[in-house]
Amino acid sequence: KAGVTQTPRYLIKTRGQQVTLSCSPISGHRSVSWYQQTPGQGLQFLFEYFSETQRNKGNFPGRFSGRQFSNSRSEMNVSTLELGDSALYLCASSLGALDTQYFGPGTRLTVL
Amino acid sequence: TQLLEQSPQFLSIQEGENLTVYCNSSSVFSSLQWYRQEPGEGPVLLVTVVTGGEVKKLKRLTFQFGDARKDSSLHITAAQPGDTGLYLCAGPNYGGSQGNLIFGKGTKLSVKP
């Protein structure tokens, strides 16, 4: 069974631009969670989607948004990028809300 | 708000040494998970402990869940350079802005040959 895939793996953007990251969960998994990981803050929860509905959202500004499609694939978007948005963005999929989460390799975003 | 605190934050040892890392909370968890993350990759699940006092072994790694289900430890015997990585503990969070799984900040382990 294929694992969680994330595209692109690396991304370089400049301040003020916007970016879209993609996540394809494990087949059959309906829950997708997004995390931001930085050396100082660790893994911070962004949001969780289940069956195309956002069920939970972390404490991030409205510039961070996401969506999930009917095939469970998910995208997250960050608008008006700031230097502090540089991070590893991780996507994790699970069968249900509190089931084991399986992580993708992440997208490394660098904002210049 | 549930918190998981991990210690030490950094650990640098020589190949062949033993080590223990800790994951503590003031809250009771129904289960705790341990992940290992290598640089530039996502965390990979190592084990889930669900019963207070439970001990699980994965080759040279021994995981223990505290009797009160508020803490867990990971012991590595005869560490090898391949054990290098960030070790994260995580526990289920029932609602709130932290998501379904909350993470400690991790222990960054470096094993030198």
Side-chain angles (χ1 to χ4, degrees):
Chain A
K1 199 181 239 187
V4 178
T5 58
Q6 292 187 246
T7 57
R9 289 295 310 275
Y10 304 93
L11 209 46
I12 298 175
K13 292 284 187 180
T14 56
R15 280 181 298 174
Q17 288 188 308
Q18 75 166 22
V19 67
T20 299
L21 311 181
S22 181
C23 171
S24 291
I26 292 171
S27 178
H29 285 194
R30 296 166 67 187
S31 173
V32 174
S33 297
W34 287 90
Y35 297 86
Q36 181 195 66
Q37 187 177 33
T38 58
Q41 297 297 319
L43 271 156
Q44 292 187 285
F45 172 73
L46 281 158
F47 26 67
E48 185 233 349
Y49 286 87
F50 185 88
S51 294
E52 302 179 66
T53 300
Q54 185 183 89
R55 292 202 299 190
N56 215 344
K57 189 176 192 305
N59 293 324
F60 278 82
R63 300 185 297 108
F64 292 81
S65 63
R67 59 178 175 169
Q68 186 180 33
F69 302 96
S70 58
N71 62 357
S72 294
R73 189 177 70 84
S74 178
E75 289 182 347
M76 67 162 281
N77 184 276
V78 188
S79 62
T80 320
L81 284 166
E82 301 177 359
L83 295 178
D85 296 332
S86 294
L88 182 67
Y89 289 88
L90 292 162
C91 159
S93 77
S94 60
L95 278 170
L98 292 175
D99 293 316
T100 298
Q101 294 192 10
Y102 296 89
F103 284 83
T107 294
R108 170 72 64 185
L109 172 65
T110 301
V111 182
L112 303 175
Chain B
T1 302
Q2 293 177 298
L3 285 173
L4 285 168
E5 296 184 355
Q6 291 190 245
S7 61
Q9 191 176 354
F10 299 97
L11 194 53
S12 181
I13 62 171
Q14 293 295 131
E15 182 176 2
E17 292 184 16
N18 301 332
L19 67 115
T20 302
V21 299
Y22 300 93
C23 173
N24 295 294
S25 176
S26 58
S27 305
V28 175
F29 283 88
S30 59
S31 64
L32 281 178
Q33 298 176 340
W34 285 91
Y35 290 81
R36 179 170 65 212
Q37 183 179 20
E38 296 185 16
E41 298 295 329
V44 175
L45 180 67
L46 295 174
V47 78
T48 301
V49 286
V50 297
T51 306
E54 180 178 8
V55 176
K56 279 192 173 178
K57 292 193 174 184
L58 187 66
K59 297 183 182 177
R60 294 175 294 100
L61 279 59
T62 302
F63 304 84
Q64 185 162 8
F65 199 11
D67 291 339
R69 290 185 288 128
K70 292 183 177 182
D71 57 85
S72 182
S73 64
L74 158 59
H75 181 80
I76 301 179
T77 303
Q80 298 177 0
D83 296 325
T84 293
L86 179 68
Y87 288 81
L88 296 159
C89 67
N93 179 47
Y94 300 97
S97 61
Q98 293 176 290
N100 295 325
L101 201 62
I102 62 170
F103 286 85
K105 291 197 173 182
T107 292
K108 192 168 185 179
L109 172 65
S110 174
V111 182
K112 298 182 181 355

